[in-house]
């Protein structure tokens, strides 16, 4: 598919990512080893990783212009991490390179039997601190940015960047993978949040994910939408409605989620969605919010094509960033992001099968 047949890219496609970089050492095995076992890898690969690194690589391949604030060491691993990102079109000039120390790296065991991956992270040293980033560098990194994305790492530095982004009216998207030090401060500044399945209930103490989403949006009045991803089971999204239509019906959010799930057509193999109209969503014991609830599906990947889920969540986030920057409505954004994530799952590692904007598998989702 040629770029000429696609919708034009936005005039401003600059995205700033802030967070984790690293090197992934991947080994695929026929099944996860028992303690004290010795087994052979069925495949192996070494490539760049880290939540922010993967997400901005995805953004770059989709045609936008990402920059990255992070930290590596001046070792051979750090050099390889940066070179790989640069080859994808990521601006790494704001990545801090320490003299000495060690770049972050992760051992990843990919279980071919269960289609799961186990990650063992070794953080980089020395860690990133606010003094690593001068105000001049911060100002240049944010100059002209359409959106700023944070994965929750380097919290002290991230908060300074987020506060300056807010001062400049640059929208903020947060990856809420798990509760972390400093994440609450970032969420208070966020316009968009993408959460793991475990995060909303852990953060809000609500009894269900739909109720937790209502609680999250009530506690964070700046948030426009929040998405919770469930891997092969798709996602749920709550979008805040700014205006309340007259005679809006009040519905229990958990009951509505059940209704939407019943409307899913599981015979469709490509990603799709179902949604409610704008309504008053009630969460018992929490409150009421006016908005729309969406249930998104994932692609049903044939077992013969499913290789590795490493980086699927990061690629979903990268696709949502692209969607926000190109003003995609949720009806297009959710299937598109799910399709990008499905492409990622067809190769070993987070970057191997990240699609480019011209990938034929994305054509129907972009046009």
């Amino acid at each position: 598919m040629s770029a000429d047949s696609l919708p034009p890219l936005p005039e401003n496609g600059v995205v700033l990512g802030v967070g984790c970089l690293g090197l992934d050492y991947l080994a695929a095995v026929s099944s996860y080893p028992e303690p004290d076992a010795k087994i052979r890898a069925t495949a192996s690969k070494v490539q760049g990783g880290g939540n922010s690194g993967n997400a901005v690589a995805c953004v770059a391949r989709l045609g936008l212009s990402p920059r990255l604030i992070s930290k590596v060491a001046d070792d051979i691993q750090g050099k390889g991490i940066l070179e790989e990102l640069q080859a994808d079109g990521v601006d790494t000039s704001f990545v801090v390179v320490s003299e000495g120390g060690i770049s972050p790296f992760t051992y990843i065991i990919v279980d071919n039997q269960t289609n799961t991956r186990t990650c063992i992270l070794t953080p980089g040293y020395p860690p990133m601190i606010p003094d690593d980033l001068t105000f001049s560098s911060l100002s240049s990194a944010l100059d002209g940015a359409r959106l700023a994305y944070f994965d929750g790492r380097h919290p002290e530095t991230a908060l300074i960047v987020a506060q300056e982004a807010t001062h400049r009216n640059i929208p903020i998207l947060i990856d809420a993978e798990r509760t972390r030090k400093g994440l609450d401060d970032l969420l208070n500044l966020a316009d968009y949040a993408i959460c793991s399945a475990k995060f909303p209930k852990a953060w809000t103490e609500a009894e269900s994910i739909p109720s937790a989403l209502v609680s999250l949006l009530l506690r964070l009045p700046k948030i426009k939408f929040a998405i919770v991803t469930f891997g092969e089971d798709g996602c749920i999204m709550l979008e805040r409605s700014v205006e309340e239509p007259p005679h809006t019906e009040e519905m229990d959010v958990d009951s509505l989620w059940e209704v939407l799930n019943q409307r899913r057509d599981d015979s469709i193999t490509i990603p799709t969605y179902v949604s409610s109209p704008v309504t008053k969503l009630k969460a018992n014991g929490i409150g009421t919010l006016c908005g729309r609830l969406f249930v998104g599906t994932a692609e049903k990947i044939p077992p013969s094509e499913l290789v590795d889920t490493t980086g699927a969540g990061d690629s979903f986030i990268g696709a949502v960033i692209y969607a926000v920057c190109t003003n995609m409505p949720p009806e297009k954004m959710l299937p598109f992001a799910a399709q990008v994530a499905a492409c990622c799952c067809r190769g070993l590692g987070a970057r191997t099968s990240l699609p480019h904007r011209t990938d034929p598998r994305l054509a129907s989702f972009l046009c």
Side-chain angles (χ1 to χ4, degrees):
M1 184 175 61
S2 69
D4 294 339
S5 62
L6 293 170
L9 288 166
E11 289 186 13
N12 179 8
V14 176
V15 172
L16 176 64
V18 182
C20 181
L21 268 182
L23 197 66
D24 289 349
Y25 296 89
L26 296 122
V29 295
S30 57
S31 63
Y32 196 85
E34 296 290 334
D36 207 30
K38 292 183 179 181
I39 60 173
R40 289 180 180 269
T42 59
S44 62
K45 186 178 285 291
V46 179
Q47 66 178 199
N51 295 56
S52 284
N54 297 335
V56 297
C58 179
V59 167
R61 293 192 190 186
L62 292 174
L64 302 185
S65 303
R67 303 165 180 165
L68 186 61
I69 292 176
S70 189
K71 187 172 186 176
V72 296
D74 60 353
D75 51 15
I76 190 169
Q77 291 87 354
K79 181 181 179 182
I81 290 167
L82 297 182
E83 288 178 348
E84 189 175 353
L85 287 170
Q86 291 159 4
D88 265 324
V90 177
D91 181 351
T92 63
S93 60
F94 302 102
V95 175
V96 177
V97 180
S98 67
E99 295 183 7
I102 185 171
S103 296
F105 63 92
T106 302
Y107 294 120
I108 301 176
I109 302 172
V110 179
D111 185 343
N112 294 332
Q113 186 176 61
T114 60
N115 293 319
T116 58
R117 84 286 186 274
T118 302
C119 303
I120 307 169
L121 169 66
T122 298
Y125 184 84
M128 190 169 198
I129 58 175
D131 286 348
D132 285 331
L133 192 67
T134 66
F135 182 77
S136 174
S137 181
L138 168 61
S139 181
S140 297
L142 285 167
D143 189 32
R146 168 70 178 79
L147 182 142
Y149 151 70
F150 300 82
D151 69 8
R153 294 347 193 274
H154 313 309
E156 294 87 0
T157 305
L159 181 59
I160 291 171
V161 179
Q163 289 170 336
E164 183 62 21
T166 301
H167 179 70
R168 298 181 181 213
N169 295 316
I170 297 170
I172 290 172
L173 185 147
I174 301 296
D175 172 9
E177 183 181 32
R178 60 174 62 94
T179 54
R180 300 182 190 277
K181 175 186 175 183
L183 184 60
D184 286 11
D185 294 328
L186 291 174
L187 284 170
N188 283 324
L189 300 174
D191 298 87
Y192 313 99
I194 302 180
C195 312
S196 69
K198 295 179 180 179
F199 177 81
K201 290 200 293 183
W203 195 72
T204 65
E205 299 183 348
E207 294 185 356
S208 70
I209 288 177
S211 294
L213 282 175
V214 172
S215 177
L216 190 146
L217 264 67
L218 287 173
R219 289 169 61 176
L220 303 171
K222 191 182 175 186
I223 293 274
K224 296 178 175 65
F225 68 67
I227 301 172
V228 182
T229 57
F230 305 120
E232 64 181 358
D233 293 323
C235 67
I236 180 175
M237 169 177 163
L238 179 55
E239 179 188 43
R240 187 192 305 274
S241 179
V242 178
E243 296 182 2
E244 182 179 319
H247 314 298
T248 304
E249 183 182 0
E250 184 174 288
M251 294 193 67
D252 176 77
V253 70
D254 291 308
S255 299
L256 180 57
W257 190 32
E258 290 180 10
V259 169
L260 293 178
N261 276 316
Q262 290 170 3
R263 286 172 49 196
R264 289 171 49 155
D265 186 348
D266 289 330
S267 67
I268 301 175
T269 58
I270 64 171
T272 184
Y273 78 97
V274 291
S275 71
S276 74
V278 175
T279 189
K280 291 179 181 176
L281 300 166
K282 180 183 178 182
N284 289 330
I286 294 172
T288 302
L289 180 89
C290 190
R292 281 198 299 170
L293 196 67
F294 291 80
V295 170
T297 66
E299 181 185 356
K300 292 181 173 58
I301 304 174
S304 61
E305 297 179 23
L306 179 58
V307 177
D308 178 19
T309 59
T310 301
D314 301 330
S315 60
F316 184 96
I317 289 173
V320 170
I321 291 171
Y322 174 91
V324 170
C325 291
T326 55
N327 299 313
M328 267 190 195
E331 293 84 352
K332 289 188 67 175
M333 176 181 72
L334 294 179
F336 170 68
Q339 181 65 25
V340 170
C343 291
C344 179
C345 293
R346 285 173 160 89
L348 182 61
R351 312 267 182 92
T352 302
S353 292
L354 272 181
H356 290 80
R357 187 166 176 263
T358 52
D359 192 309
R361 294 171 294 182
L362 302 185
S364 62
F365 298 89
L366 286 170
C367 299

